[in-house]
Amino acid sequence: MTSIGPYAASGVGRPSLVDALAKSRSQLNDLTRQLSTGMVSATYAGLGDGRATSLAMRAKLAALSSYDATAATVGTRLAIMGTALQRLDDIGAEYKLVDPNDFTLTTGSVTVTQSQAAIDLQDAISQLNTDVGGRFVFSGRTADTKPVLSADAILADDAGKAGLRTVIAERKLADLGADGRGRIDVSAVSGSSFSVAEEASGPFGFKISSLSSSMTGGVASGPTGSPATITLGVTGQPRTGDQTRVGLTLPDGSTEEIVLTAKAADDASALAPGEFHVGATPAQTAANMRASFDAALKTRADTALVAASAVQAGEEFFNAPAGSGPARVAGFDGSYASDAARVAALQNATALDTTDTAEKTVSWYVGETGTDDPRKTAAAKIDDGVAVAYGARANEAGTRQVVQNLAVFSAITFSADDGNAKARYSALANRTITALGSSDATAAVRTMATDLASANNAIKAATARHAAAKSMAQDALSNVESADKDEVTLKILALQTQLQASYQATATLKNLSLVNFL
């Protein structure tokens, strides 16, 4: 007969009781974990029906965190870009207060204001070469390329490539012509009149735009033909103060007017520019008138025309179409027997040339070029279905004009011994300073800043939406994953009481025997 042990008799060793105790112990361990971690389950499987919600909310939070990280990075870039554009706008505004007639030369043959412009040019270039975390933010799509050359590299020749100073010098020769009259021919007096005619000089030099006269017995006809010609002179004797006005258009589109004023023959005071004495005969008067016009023409050529030529050369140098080199005076790269032959060729040029100029001219902007919207050169997704465009190119109109005008203004030198230097400087300063502080230039820079500010506002709005969405997702996740510590504590206490009772009952049964029972 098989012996029956005490556990078998009492039922203590039965699997159902052992399993119940093990299950209760496991429940206690799980509740203890919930109390310490605050989480309902360590696995998604333990969440039951809530696992789908948990997975969805965690995916949502991960996406929002990714968008916020992108927004933070782009927001930093936009803030720095905005600071750079503000500085460029400030530089332009500073020149509104500059006196274009302050001709105080330094030892470098430039004025004090030009010296400041050279410093501001370096500052402007530094702003456009802003690097944010290894990304040049004004270089379009080529964010790894510094977009703008240094001021020295822009102004000077480099490795066989012509810099701005050379381009300006070439254009000056073409605009002035061989005789320094701005490509205008002034004929000798015939009878009591003379003609003034444009050379067939293409885009170079003066262009006759208008003619008017209030001169008694004056001859003033034209302009006629192409190239234009006018005829000036007298048929009688003008009265003191009578005037003839000749309007001229310069290469940069600006205009000048030569005013010829009759002065009595017996007036011994010095002649002002444009004044002429009435002679004893109409022929003498016409000769005096011609001499006055010719002198005024050469003075305007050496002052206003030279300034306008430099400004136009700067426009052609800095504002070359995308994919094309800057326009330069035709013949700039010819093979000449001497420097004199090259100068003569440039003085008689009749056209601009863009052939191979990109390979032979310094490119001030070396970032990405294109005809598309510069903002689209960089974009970031900041929310589901929401992206912001925040790219920029340093050669955009507003930023280019700042660099261009500062460079042209600081590139020209002057001599204190040159009688026309002050007038030439004033002509240059008036053009470049006006352009720097013009509403067109500042508006273009501010338009860029506004575009970037709009992108930044979109980022801020998306970040605010994300904060609200994160709060909702975290609430939903908490409802599914988080354990109620008060509830867990009560369950632990209840389970501990149950286990204690079970252990006591088990211990009693363990000690129970037939002898004790009897």
Side-chain angles (χ1 to χ4, degrees):
M1 186 174 183
T2 303
S3 173
I4 300 174
Y7 293 123
S10 63
V12 173
R14 291 180 182 177
S16 59
L17 183 55
V18 174
D19 289 345
L21 289 172
K23 184 176 181 180
S24 295
R25 185 64 190 176
S26 176
Q27 289 176 346
L28 180 60
N29 290 338
D30 185 56
L31 288 170
T32 302
R33 180 197 57 75
Q34 290 184 39
L35 186 62
S36 62
T37 64
M39 304 299 292
V40 171
S41 174
T43 64
Y44 286 112
L47 296 177
D49 293 339
R51 61 178 174 270
T53 300
S54 176
L55 289 168
M57 292 302 100
R58 287 192 175 277
K60 180 67 173 178
L61 288 171
L64 292 174
S65 295
S66 176
Y67 286 142
D68 283 346
T70 299
T73 299
V74 175
T76 300
R77 292 172 185 166
L78 287 170
I80 295 175
M81 291 171 77
T83 300
L85 291 174
Q86 182 60 57
R87 176 56 189 148
L88 293 177
D89 187 48
D90 290 343
I91 288 174
E94 288 168 3
Y95 283 85
K96 291 181 179 180
L97 305 176
V98 171
D99 180 4
N101 298 310
D102 181 9
F103 189 63
T104 304
L105 286 176
T106 68
T107 55
S109 298
V110 295
T111 67
V112 172
T113 306
Q114 285 180 291
S115 181
Q116 181 60 49
I119 296 172
D120 288 337
L121 175 61
Q122 295 174 0
D123 187 0
I125 290 173
S126 176
Q127 299 298 332
L128 294 174
N129 283 336
T130 295
D131 173 0
V132 184
R135 181 186 182 92
F136 293 100
V137 290
F138 290 99
S139 193
R141 293 182 177 87
T142 56
D144 59 343
T145 301
K146 184 182 292 187
V148 183
L149 298 184
S150 69
D152 289 340
I154 291 171
L155 296 173
D157 297 347
D158 179 42
K161 291 187 176 184
L164 177 61
R165 289 194 180 100
T166 294
V167 173
I168 288 175
E170 291 172 351
R171 177 88 201 204
K172 176 183 175 181
L173 290 170
D175 282 318
L176 281 178
D179 60 5
R181 288 182 171 85
R183 312 300 289 268
I184 295 289
D185 290 326
V186 183
S187 73
V189 173
S190 177
S192 62
S193 65
F194 62 96
S195 64
V196 178
E198 298 174 8
E199 292 181 10
S201 56
F204 305 120
F206 289 121
K207 304 301 175 187
I208 301 171
S209 57
S210 65
L211 174 63
S212 63
S213 179
S214 61
M215 192 170 292
T216 302
V219 173
S221 63
T224 59
S226 181
T229 299
I230 60 174
T231 301
L232 302 176
V234 293
T235 58
Q237 296 296 65
R239 295 172 301 187
T240 298
D242 285 354
Q243 292 183 333
T244 294
R245 297 173 177 270
V246 179
L248 302 171
T249 299
L250 284 65
D252 65 344
S254 62
T255 58
E256 290 285 324
E257 190 175 58
I258 295 178
V259 181
L260 300 173
T261 305
K263 189 173 182 179
D266 58 356
D267 188 340
S269 61
L271 291 173
E275 289 185 338
F276 64 92
H277 281 123
V278 176
T281 65
Q284 288 179 351
T285 301
N288 293 341
M289 186 179 184
R290 180 199 178 282
S292 179
F293 177 83
D294 193 46
L297 181 67
K298 288 190 287 187
T299 299
R300 295 298 176 87
D302 194 35
T303 55
L305 180 60
V306 170
S309 178
V311 169
Q312 185 59 27
E315 178 69 16
E316 289 153 1
F317 181 88
F318 284 95
N319 195 22
S324 175
R328 292 176 64 183
V329 180
F332 73 93
D333 62 343
S335 177
Y336 303 104
S338 65
D339 287 341
R342 179 177 181 272
V343 168
L346 293 171
Q347 288 173 334
N348 292 286
T350 59
L352 290 167
D353 188 6
T354 58
T355 305
D356 297 330
T357 57
E359 290 75 28
K360 298 176 181 178
T361 313
V362 170
S363 296
W364 72 280
Y365 172 74
V366 292
E368 181 259 346
T369 59
T371 57
D372 60 333
D373 183 356
R375 302 299 160 266
K376 295 181 180 179
T377 60
K381 190 174 182 181
I382 58 170
D383 203 347
D384 292 338
V386 180
V388 293
Y390 66 97
R393 299 186 182 108
N395 66 345
E396 292 183 50
T399 51
R400 171 184 59 79
Q401 287 176 36
V402 174
V403 174
Q404 176 178 322
N405 285 288
L406 289 171
V408 171
F409 187 40
S410 59
I412 310 299
T413 58
F414 299 90
S415 171
D417 298 328
D418 183 348
N420 288 329
K422 182 175 182 180
R424 189 185 312 117
Y425 169 76
S426 294
L428 176 67
N430 270 310
R431 286 168 168 78
T432 52
I433 289 172
T434 300
L436 279 168
S438 70
S439 58
D440 288 344
T442 55
V445 172
R446 290 172 185 174
T447 296
M448 291 179 66
T450 299
D451 289 344
L452 298 178
S454 296
N456 202 31
N457 289 337
I459 288 175
K460 290 179 180 178
T463 302
R465 292 196 302 273
H466 295 167
K470 280 182 177 180
S471 178
M472 295 175 63
Q474 287 168 344
D475 286 345
L477 200 60
S478 178
N479 290 337
V480 173
E481 294 185 353
S482 298
D484 186 329
K485 292 189 176 183
D486 291 337
E487 182 181 348
V488 171
T489 300
L490 292 175
K491 286 182 177 181
I492 289 175
L493 292 174
L495 191 57
Q496 285 177 336
T497 301
Q498 180 181 340
L499 282 170
Q500 185 177 4
S502 297
Y503 285 141
Q504 289 175 347
T506 300
T508 301
L509 291 173
K510 177 181 178 181
N511 294 324
L512 186 63
S513 67
L514 182 60
V515 174
N516 292 334
F517 178 73
L518 295 173

